[in-house]
Every structure is written in structure tokens, then in C-alpha cells.
């Protein structure tokens, strides 16, 4: 039997051309990471002409503590705001942060315990990259800030939700839940107080118990404290003084001083952890934007603290009124309400959903110009909604709240 060599050559050429036309697959882990947890329904606004109530994203209606005009006035050759700073942050800002945190936490803070990052999201993502290996697990007290779970998946690790807030747990019950979620792969515990999305605040007794448990289990503690200046009942309890060798804390200029667009935040932790995090940042973001660092330097002052105090009073007032109208507990801190709508989306209800979630209710809200975040973004909460009561002027927020009250029949 003769061999058709030309046919073999042609087949090989076709295979080569086919391979040359293909591109590699994207990493599978990216399929677990969403681009945005809020925007699935925004297309429904295309034909809407009424007032918009953008209560789905955590932001502020207030002018920032430091304006761009103030930055322009202060910027000088010493700062050179058009140039890079050290990855660790501008020296003047680092020194200001050390003074600020030392005073607020009642303990000495060293410069090598501070790292300036291009926003809290970038900083916490880099921290996860420094602490966790692929397949490691991070316990998140839930409901939690959504991008923390996303950052964990981005680095190939696994976020593990531990239902905690709005559960009226005793300390013993909370610790038992952590024990049930613990595995040999667990490397860290994530705590967020004041909490996004529930508005709950953990006191010293709770935080001490959580940090002690993490110490007993040999875990890192990531303490997200970006709403530290917005506690409406009592004082914020800083976590790092409870165990400085184990706790890494995050603070944000976005939340504290209404400067989300300037992208500047602070990580405070053990020097060896921050050195590792700096390596991640160097190869991902490099230094935080210098104008944002200059704004932070100006805000970490009596001027910025007064802004935050005034903002806290205004935030608390509208938060209380929104909670009253919705019939939910008042927020203890942060800028959010986390609303259980399980009755309104239950089987046989107006907004019953085939998936058992809030999709039909969210569609009805969007059709009235009201934007809210689905509870599923914050953990295993498919029948909850998150509302930010500072994302628009108070009168706009309350008009949006009234629409939700009407839809829910409350």
C-alpha cells in the first residue's frame, strides 16, 4: 500500500496553521472574579428619564476634606507631585501617618510599620498576595466587603465566609463558628469594623476574643478599619494594639476624608509583612499617586479630623432616618444599611424569583431609578440588599428610601 506523503504534509500544515491561529486560554481563576458587583442591571436605565438614586456604591455627597485647589496651593518643589515617590510612600506622609496613628491608638508606631498604597483595594489585594499561597484559605467574617473575596480569588486562594454580623451571636457562638470553618489550609482571618455592609461595630471584648482565637490557631489577622472615624455609638476600637506581631490594619483616605478619587490608603503591620507586601506593590502598582499622597498629608490634621466629625454627624442623621423609614436597626457605624427582604421575595410574594434571590426586586427598583447592591455580593445573603445612605445628598437618599419602602410595602 502506497503512502500519500503529500496528504500528510498538507495535514501537518493545516494543524500548524490552526495552532498559529489560536491564543492561550485565560487563567481559570479569573472566571471566579467579577468586574463589578453592582452593575448587572444598569442597562435598564438606558430609557429611564427620571431622578436617579445611586445608593449602590459606597461614596459621599460631601466635598472632600482636601480639594484639588488646596493641593495646587501647597504643591511645591519639595513634593514634586508630578514625580514618583518611594514605593513605601512619601517620607513626609509616612511621618505624618506615624504621628496620627500613634496618637489615635495610644501606642508608639514606627515608620517601618507603615505602607502607603494606591487606595485600600490595591493595598489589601497586595497584602493578600503577600500572605497567602494558592489554595490557602482566608476566613471572612460575613457579610464582608466584596472586593476582599475577589482579591483572594485573584491570587488563587479561597475565601471562606463565616456568617457573623447581624446574627446576635455570643462570643462563644462566634468562636464556635470560626472553629467549624477552620481547616489546615486556613492562613488568616479578615475582620471589618465598622462593618460594610451591616453598619455594626465590634467592641474591644469581641475583638480581643477574635484576635486571641487567631493567635491560638497561628493565623494572621487582617483588620479592615477604613470607617474608623465613623462610629456613631462610642469610640472605634483599634485592633492592632491587641497583637502587633499578628495584626495588619487598613485605613483609607477615601472613606475617612471623602477622597475616593485620590486613591490613597494606609497599611499598618509587622515590618516583615509590609516588606513582602511592598514587593507585590512594586510589581503591580509601584507608588501611590503623589497628588493623592499630598492630599492625605493635608487631611491627616486637625482640619481633616474636623471634617470627619462634621461628616459623621451628617451621616448618622440620615442613616438613622433611613433606618427608621425601613424599619431596620440604626447603623452603629460606617455608611450602610443591610436589609433583609426575605419576606418580600418569598414564594408567592410580589417579587418572588425563580432563583430565590432579589433579582426581580432589584429590577423594580432600577425601573424607578433606585440603584442598590445585591446581598449576594457580600457573602451567602441572596435575600438581602445593601443601601449606602451617604452616596447622594440626604434628601435624594431619603426619596430613594421612600421608593424602596413603597415597593416593600413597609
Amino acid at each position: 500500500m502506497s503512502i500519500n506523503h503529500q496528504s500528510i504534509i498538507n495535514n501537518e500544515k493545516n494543524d500548524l496553521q490552526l495552532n498559529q491561529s489560536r491564543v492561550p486560554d485565560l487563567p481559570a481563576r479569573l472566571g471566579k472574579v467579577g468586574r463589578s458587583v453592582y452593575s448587572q442591571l444598569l442597562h435598564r436605565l438606558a430609557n429611564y428619564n427620571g431622578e436617579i438614586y445611586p445608593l449602590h456604591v459606597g461614596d459621599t455627597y460631601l466635598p472632600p476634606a482636601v480639594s484639588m485647589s488646596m493641593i495646587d496651593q501647597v504643591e511645591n518643589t519639595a513634593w514634586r507631585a508630578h514625580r514618583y515617590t518611594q514605593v513605601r510612600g512619601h517620607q513626609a506622609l509616612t511621618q505624618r501617618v506615624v504621628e496620627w496613628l500613634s496618637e489615635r491608638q495610644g501606642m508608639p508606631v514606627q515608620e517601618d510599620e507603615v505602607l502607603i498604597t494606591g487606595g485600600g483595594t490595591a493595598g489589601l489585594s497586595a497584602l493578600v498576595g503577600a500572605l497567602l499561597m494558592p489554595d490557602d484559605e482566608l476566613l471572612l467574617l460575613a457579610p464582608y466587603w466584596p472586593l476582599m473575596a475577589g482579591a483572594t480569588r485573584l491570587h488563587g486562594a479561597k475565601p471562606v465566609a463565616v456568617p457573623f454580623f447581624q446574627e446576635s451571636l455570643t462570643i462563644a457562638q462566634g468562636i464556635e463558628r470560626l472553629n467549624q470553618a477552620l481547616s489546615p489550609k486556613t492562613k488568616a482571618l479578615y475582620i471589618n469594623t465598622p462593618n460594610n455592609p451591616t453598619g455594626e461595630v465590634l467592641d474591644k471584648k469581641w475583638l480581643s476574643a477574635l484576635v486571641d482565637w487567631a493567635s491560638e490557631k497561628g493565623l494572621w489577622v487582617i483588620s479592615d478599619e477604613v470607617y474608623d472615624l465613623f462610629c456613631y455609638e462610642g469610640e472605634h476600637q483599634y485592633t492592632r494594639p491587641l497583637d502587633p506581631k499578628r495584626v495588619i490594619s487598613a485605613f483609607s483616605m477615601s472613606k475617612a476624608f471623602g477622597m475616593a478619587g485620590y486613591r490613597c490608603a494606609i497599611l499598618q503591620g509587622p515590618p516583615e509583612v509590609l516588606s513582602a507586601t511592598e514587593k507585590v506593590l512594586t510589581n503591580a502598582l509601584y507608588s501611590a499617586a503623589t497628588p493623592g499622597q499630598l492630599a492625605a498629608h493635608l487631611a491627616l490634621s486637625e482640619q481633616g479630623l474636623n471634617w470627619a466629625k462634621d461628616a459623621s454627624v451628617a451621616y448618622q442623621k440620615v442613616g438613622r432616618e433611613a433606618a427608621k423609614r425601613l424599619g431596620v436597626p440604626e447603623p452603629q457605624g460606617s455608611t450602610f444599611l443591610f436589609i433583609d427582604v426575605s419576606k418580600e421575595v418569598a414564594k408567592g410574594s410580589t417579587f418572588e424569583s425563580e432563583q430565590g434571590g432579589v433579582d426581580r426586586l432589584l429590577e423594580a427598583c432600577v425601573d424607578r431609578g433606585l440603584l442598590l447592591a445585591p446581598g449576594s455580593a457580600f457573602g451567602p445573603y441572596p435575600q438581602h440588599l445593601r443601601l449606602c445612605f451617604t452616596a447622594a445628598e440626604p434628601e435624594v437618599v431619603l426619596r430613594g428610601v421612600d421608593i424602596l419602602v413603597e415597593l416593600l410595602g413597609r
Side-chain angles (χ1 to χ4, degrees), residues 73 95 109 148 174 211 289 304 346 354 361 391:
Q73 292 172 13
Q95 292 173 348
V109 177
M148 197 63 190
V211 172
E354 293 181 4
L361 176 56

Side-chain angles (χ1 to χ4, degrees), residues 147-184:
L147 297 187
M148 197 63 190
T152 305
R153 295 186 182 101
L154 184 64
H155 290 285
K158 179 182 177 182
V160 178
V162 182
F164 180 86
F165 294 102
Q166 291 190 337
E167 299 272 337
S168 299
L169 300 174
T170 64
I171 288 178
Q173 290 170 332
I175 296 302
E176 179 56 29
R177 289 202 175 180
L178 288 171
N179 284 327
Q180 291 173 357
L182 186 70
S183 86

Side-chain angles (χ1 to χ4, degrees), residues 220-379:
W220 296 110
V221 175
I222 301 173
S223 183
D224 183 343
E225 303 175 55
V226 300
Y227 294 98
D228 64 318
L229 298 186
F230 302 115
C231 280
Y232 310 131
E233 299 178 11
E235 293 290 323
H236 172 69
Q237 171 61 53
Y238 289 94
T239 310
R240 183 159 161 73
L242 299 175
D243 193 344
K245 72 177 184 297
R246 184 176 312 280
V247 176
I248 307 97
S249 295
F251 306 96
S252 171
M253 304 300 101
S254 301
K255 309 307 180 185
F257 304 114
M259 306 192 310
Y262 297 169
R263 309 312 300 140
C264 190
I266 302 162
L267 291 181
Q268 178 195 13
E272 67 275 14
V273 172
L274 295 191
S275 293
T277 306
E278 183 182 357
K279 292 180 181 179
V280 180
L281 281 175
T282 300
N283 294 280
L285 180 70
Y286 205 71
S287 60
T290 308
Q293 294 192 55
L294 173 52
H297 184 265
L298 295 172
L300 292 169
S301 62
E302 193 68 24
Q303 169 190 323
L305 189 58
N306 288 336
W307 183 96
K309 288 178 179 177
D310 291 342
S312 184
V313 172
Y315 291 173
Q316 182 181 24
K317 182 178 179 180
V318 66
R320 282 181 170 177
E321 181 60 28
K324 178 182 176 182
R325 296 186 188 191
L326 285 162
V328 300
E330 295 179 357
Q332 299 170 347
S334 82
T335 60
F336 304 100
L337 299 175
F338 200 54
I339 307 158
D340 183 350
V341 294
S342 55
K343 292 181 180 179
E344 289 84 357
V345 300
K347 188 174 182 179
S349 67
T350 303
F351 300 109
E352 177 186 352
S353 167
E354 293 181 4
Q355 291 76 32
V358 296
D359 48 306
R360 288 192 62 196
L361 176 56
L362 283 176
E363 289 174 357
C365 290
V366 173
D367 290 342
R368 298 282 297 274
L370 174 61
L371 305 180
L372 301 169
S376 57
F378 305 89

Side-chain angles (χ1 to χ4, degrees), residues 120-156:
T121 301
L124 286 167
S125 180
L127 177 62
V128 169
L131 295 181
L132 304 184
M133 295 283 288
D135 296 326
D136 283 347
E137 294 179 357
L138 171 65
L139 302 184
L140 300 101
L141 298 187
Y144 50 74
W145 174 56
L147 297 187
M148 197 63 190
T152 305
R153 295 186 182 101
L154 184 64
H155 290 285

Side-chain angles (χ1 to χ4, degrees), residues 37-102:
V37 298
Y38 310 117
S39 60
Q40 292 91 334
L41 296 172
L42 294 183
H43 67 279
R44 295 179 72 95
L45 289 176
N47 298 317
Y48 178 77
N49 297 315
E51 184 174 21
I52 303 293
Y53 313 95
L55 311 186
H56 59 306
V57 63
D59 211 336
T60 181
Y61 68 95
L62 292 171
V66 176
S67 66
M68 291 302 296
S69 61
M70 294 168 64
I71 295 173
D72 288 340
Q73 292 172 13
V74 174
E75 201 280 322
N76 53 47
T77 55
W79 270 88
R80 297 183 180 181
H82 63 289
R83 302 188 65 176
Y84 294 120
T85 69
Q86 300 175 33
V87 176
R88 278 264 170 171
H90 195 288
Q91 178 102 26
L93 175 56
T94 301
Q95 292 173 348
R96 180 67 59 85
V97 169
V98 165
E99 296 168 1
W100 176 271
L101 291 177
S102 296

